[in-house]
């Protein structure tokens, strides 16, 4: 039977294990603080005024009506500019076209897998762009929203994995290992000395292209009147104003919150095609603000 002191020590240790750590407590406090500060921490700011007249500029209203139907089209093209639908129909690849509703209706949550053939443009470190176009009503192009987002990112070439498969007796990345051996041979040929591993590693790594395998398209469902002096920071990069009508286009954007760098695919000639999973979903202001806060803290 354990002594009284041993029992007390065991009880204290059990309480210590059940007690949340300092890091967990700080994380919880930080999350609660950011949520409340983003939702309730708005400061009173004087309304925006027209510099030419001195009159107060009225708040801008959403260009889409509640529950309004719209057609969402997504194209892939090498053109980075906001070109016309006619151009995209002739020169682009249609990835998706769907009738949706500007609401949180369950029918707006969609997913689709699309495959695109590998091209010389991609193999030469070229970029492909997704053109996301939302047209409300009966083809009302005056209120259409057009967003362009790259499907290729550029980073240094990954370091070579020289681990050997014990079953096959071969390197896991045979091609990459062979390339690094060629580089070592070049160093030796140029210097006349044996190349050291450190000499090769210190060489700046080549910038190469990576395919983005996931495209998350969110549209913010919100009908708040926006004062130009109090534009919410998460909306600011995406906001398009129509000053004469005192309207703003609803926010459509490619959300990279869930995109991880280790999920990107290195583009090379061994790939016959590239795939992209497209997710479409409405998003609320609170969720958009929370993801923005998390991105700011990570960056």
């Amino acid at each position: 039977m354990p002594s009284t002191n041993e029992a007390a020590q065991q009880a204290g240790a059990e309480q210590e294990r059940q007690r949340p750590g300092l890091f967990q407590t700080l994380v919880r406090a930080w999350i609660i603080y950011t949520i409340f500060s983003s939702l309730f921490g708005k400061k009173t700011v004087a309304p925006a005024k027209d510099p030419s007249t001195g009159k107060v500029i009225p708040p801008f209203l959403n260009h889409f009506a509640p529950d309004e139907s719209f057609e969402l089209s997504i194209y892939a093209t090498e053109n980075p500019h906001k070109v016309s639908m006619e151009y995209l129909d002739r020169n682009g690849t249609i990835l998706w076209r769907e009738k949706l509703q500007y609401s949180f209706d369950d029918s707006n949550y969609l997913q689709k897998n699309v495959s695109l053939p590998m091209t010389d443009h991609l193999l030469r470190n070229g970029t492909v762009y997704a053109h996301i176009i939302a047209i409300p009503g009966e083809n009302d192009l005056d209120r259409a929203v057009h967003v362009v987002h790259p499907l290729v990112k550029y980073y240094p070439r990954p370091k070579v994995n020289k681990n050997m498969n014990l079953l096959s007796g071969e390197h896991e990345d045979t091609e990459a290992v062979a390339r690094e051996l060629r580089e070592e041979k070049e160093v030796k040929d140029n210097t006349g000395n044996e190349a050291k591993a450190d000499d090769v590693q210190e060489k700046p790594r080549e910038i190469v292209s990576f395919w983005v395998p996931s495209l998350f398209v969110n549209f913010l469902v919100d009908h708040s009147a926006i004062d130009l002096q109090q534009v919410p920071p998460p909306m600011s990069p995406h906001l398009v104003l129509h000053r004469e009508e005192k309207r703003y286009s609803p926010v459509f954007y490619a959300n990279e919150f869930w995109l991880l760098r280790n999920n990107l695919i290195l583009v090379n000639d061994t790939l016959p095609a590239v795939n992209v999973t497209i997710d479409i979903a409405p998003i609320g202001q609170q969720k958009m603000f929370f993801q923005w806060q998390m991105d700011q803290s990570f960056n």
Side-chain angles (χ1 to χ4, degrees):
M1 180 179 295
S3 65
T4 305
N5 289 338
E6 291 175 343
Q9 290 176 357
Q10 291 176 359
E14 182 66 24
Q15 291 179 356
E16 193 66 27
R17 283 194 296 270
Q18 295 178 356
R19 185 182 305 156
L22 176 60
F23 177 76
Q24 291 177 320
T25 304
L26 291 175
V27 169
R28 290 174 184 171
W30 176 81
I31 292 176
I32 294 173
Y33 169 77
T34 54
I35 292 175
F36 274 82
S37 62
S38 63
L39 296 180
F40 306 109
K42 296 181 179 179
K43 298 180 181 180
T44 303
V45 180
K49 293 184 179 181
D50 189 329
S52 61
T53 64
K55 294 182 179 180
V56 173
I57 300 176
F60 283 62
L61 304 177
N62 196 325
H63 231 330
F64 281 24
D67 301 330
E68 182 172 11
S69 64
F70 65 93
E71 183 180 77
L72 183 69
S73 301
I74 303 177
Y75 293 85
T77 177
E78 299 172 7
N79 196 318
H81 305 293
K82 293 182 179 181
V83 293
S84 66
M85 291 283 288
E86 290 79 7
Y87 176 93
L88 293 172
D89 286 330
R90 291 194 311 268
N91 303 287
T93 302
I94 182 70
L95 304 181
W96 204 341
R97 178 166 288 157
E98 193 84 28
K99 276 285 187 181
L100 301 175
Q101 187 183 76
Y102 189 59
S103 69
F104 289 102
D105 190 82
D106 291 342
S107 62
N108 293 325
Y109 295 84
L110 302 169
Q111 186 182 80
K112 183 179 182 180
N113 295 312
V114 182
S115 180
L116 292 171
M118 179 59 67
T119 64
D120 291 337
H121 176 75
L122 280 174
L123 291 175
R124 293 195 300 267
N125 281 354
T127 303
V128 171
Y129 298 88
H131 287 248
I132 304 160
I133 304 174
I135 304 176
E138 297 298 327
N139 200 34
D140 189 351
L141 296 178
D142 291 335
R143 294 190 294 138
V145 181
H146 191 162
V147 176
V148 182
H149 184 75
L151 293 176
V152 173
K153 292 183 177 294
Y154 297 91
Y155 295 107
R157 184 182 291 278
K159 292 183 178 180
V160 176
N161 181 6
K162 292 187 177 181
N163 293 333
M164 184 174 289
N165 188 308
L166 296 179
L167 296 178
S168 66
E170 297 180 352
H171 291 288
E172 294 183 3
D173 193 342
T174 306
E175 181 183 351
V177 171
R179 182 176 60 251
E180 185 160 309
L181 290 175
R182 287 196 299 270
E183 292 178 353
E184 291 178 1
K185 183 177 184 301
E186 290 175 2
V187 172
K188 179 181 177 180
D189 292 343
N190 292 334
T191 62
N193 300 318
E194 290 289 339
K196 298 180 180 179
D198 292 342
D199 296 333
V200 178
Q201 291 176 1
E202 289 175 359
K203 180 180 179 181
R205 283 188 286 163
E206 176 189 8
I207 301 299
V208 293
S209 56
F210 292 81
W211 179 256
V212 177
S214 302
L215 177 64
F216 297 92
V217 179
N218 284 143
F219 55 95
L220 176 63
V221 179
D222 184 77
H223 294 278
S224 302
I226 295 181
D227 189 313
L228 296 187
Q229 294 287 81
Q230 302 185 56
V231 177
M235 292 179 63
S236 183
H238 314 289
L239 199 61
V240 177
L241 301 175
H242 305 269
R243 294 183 179 275
E244 292 185 1
E245 304 171 63
K246 297 298 184 289
R247 297 276 181 171
Y248 65 88
S249 295
V251 171
F252 283 72
Y253 68 106
N255 188 349
E256 294 192 338
F257 182 78
W258 302 107
L259 181 64
L260 302 178
R261 183 168 171 179
N262 58 3
N263 290 336
L264 301 179
I265 300 171
L266 178 64
V267 175
N268 56 55
D269 56 9
T270 63
L271 299 175
V274 286
N275 300 317
V276 57
T277 300
I278 305 174
D279 285 89
I280 299 173
I283 191 171
Q285 195 178 85
Q286 294 182 15
K287 185 176 180 180
M288 183 185 183
F289 282 23
F290 177 73
Q291 291 182 353
W292 178 82
Q293 290 272 13
M294 294 292 288
D295 276 335
Q296 295 299 304
S297 65
F298 293 149
N299 294 332

